[in-house]
Amino acid sequence: MTVAAQEEIIIGKDTLINQSLVTQKGSVYKQLLVPTVLVGYGVVGLANHGIKDFNTTVRSRVSKGQGDGTTIDDYTRYAPLVSIYALNIAGIKGKHNYKDLTIIVATSHLIMAGSVMGLKSLCKEQRPDGSTDNSFPSGHTATAFAGAEIMWQEYKDVSPWYGVAGYAVASGTGVLRMYNDRHWFTDVATGAGIGILSTKLAYWLHPFIQKQLFGNKEENKMSILGLPFYNGEQAGLSVVIKF
């Protein structure tokens, strides 16, 4: 093989690698676009009078007022996540096994809970019903959308309808939070964005976390995983132990 031919092959490989990197970067940007816009919209809405007026309009059309709502949203926020484990138990396997799935869930909810609690403490936005000053962002909605994104990631190759169902339930949870007069539209939008972003970050971080936790002898170790939760008013931690 001549030197010229070897150089041509090397150039061809470099071109393929560069094209692959460009494709990967483009894919990341596309995945971040929607949740980033949602979070950005909510943050801008904290000080933008036009968006605040829109919040008031949405409230007048959606909310039933304090004391006239429902508690269904306290349960639907967990529905996508519970459904993922239920599908696994039923034999409909997703992308990851129980161990890896639980690591991803724990990472996602840790990022989500930290982000929600931090913003609530920092922004101190009053709820529509005037009950507290921790309205922004919606923790219920963030939890629901984090679970919906996990369902999408786990089952999009099995059937996209699983993800669609998860996102439908998550969207319904957000609507119910406004119906119950507990959140503004911007709270719900930002909660949705945080939930999606938290899960995407969890999947990207998973290979690193997996290596740090288990190394090359993952089957011979006992693992203890913490699953944090936050409902907008209370925080807690569920512990999963695998022997």
Side-chain angles (χ1 to χ4, degrees), residues 34-103:
V34 171
T36 301
V37 168
L38 289 172
V39 173
Y41 173 80
V43 171
V44 171
L46 290 171
N48 184 281
H49 294 295
I51 296 178
K52 285 188 174 183
D53 289 341
F54 182 70
N55 275 344
T56 302
T57 300
V58 172
R59 182 194 180 200
S60 67
R61 296 181 179 180
V62 176
S63 175
K64 290 299 181 182
Q66 188 176 8
D68 296 327
T70 176
T71 60
I72 296 176
D73 49 323
D74 288 334
Y75 305 99
T76 57
R77 58 179 159 159
Y78 299 122
L81 184 58
V82 171
S83 298
I84 296 169
Y85 283 98
L87 286 169
N88 272 274
I89 293 173
I92 305 175
K93 302 300 181 181
K95 185 180 296 184
H96 293 91
N97 58 34
Y98 285 111
K99 182 200 69 182
D100 291 331
L101 174 61
T102 303
I103 294 173

Side-chain angles (χ1 to χ4, degrees), residues 24-228:
Q24 290 176 7
K25 290 181 179 179
S27 176
V28 169
Y29 292 146
K30 288 180 180 179
Q31 291 184 59
L32 293 177
L33 179 61
V34 171
T36 301
V37 168
L38 289 172
V39 173
Y41 173 80
V43 171
V44 171
L46 290 171
N48 184 281
H49 294 295
I51 296 178
K52 285 188 174 183
D53 289 341
F54 182 70
N55 275 344
T56 302
T57 300
V58 172
R59 182 194 180 200
S60 67
R61 296 181 179 180
V62 176
S63 175
K64 290 299 181 182
Q66 188 176 8
D68 296 327
T70 176
T71 60
I72 296 176
D73 49 323
D74 288 334
Y75 305 99
T76 57
R77 58 179 159 159
Y78 299 122
L81 184 58
V82 171
S83 298
I84 296 169
Y85 283 98
L87 286 169
N88 272 274
I89 293 173
I92 305 175
K93 302 300 181 181
K95 185 180 296 184
H96 293 91
N97 58 34
Y98 285 111
K99 182 200 69 182
D100 291 331
L101 174 61
T102 303
I103 294 173
I104 291 169
V105 169
T107 305
S108 170
H109 281 67
L110 182 62
I111 296 171
M112 180 270 296
S115 301
V116 168
M117 288 189 287
L119 284 172
K120 282 181 179 291
S121 177
L122 179 66
C123 298
K124 298 187 182 300
E125 183 78 359
Q126 189 176 57
R127 292 184 185 272
D129 61 8
S131 59
T132 60
D133 63 351
N134 62 347
S135 185
F136 181 87
S138 169
H140 281 63
T141 308
T143 301
F145 273 86
E149 178 64 18
I150 294 173
M151 177 171 277
W152 169 257
Q153 294 292 339
E154 289 297 311
Y155 287 98
K156 62 183 178 181
D157 295 330
V158 178
S159 172
W161 290 108
Y162 289 113
V164 171
Y167 268 102
V169 173
S171 299
T173 300
V175 172
L176 286 173
R177 295 307 286 164
M178 294 185 289
Y179 175 87
N180 288 332
D181 206 29
R182 296 291 287 165
H183 284 290
W184 304 102
F185 179 75
T186 45
D187 302 338
V188 170
T190 302
I194 289 174
I196 297 170
L197 279 173
S198 298
T199 292
K200 289 186 181 298
L201 286 172
Y203 274 92
W204 292 335
L205 290 171
H206 176 63
F208 172 77
I209 295 174
Q210 159 98 10
K211 183 177 180 181
Q212 295 303 310
L213 284 178
F214 302 104
N216 296 322
K217 298 179 180 180
E218 58 184 61
E219 297 300 332
N220 298 324
K221 292 184 179 181
M222 179 182 75
S223 59
I224 302 177
L225 302 174
L227 177 58

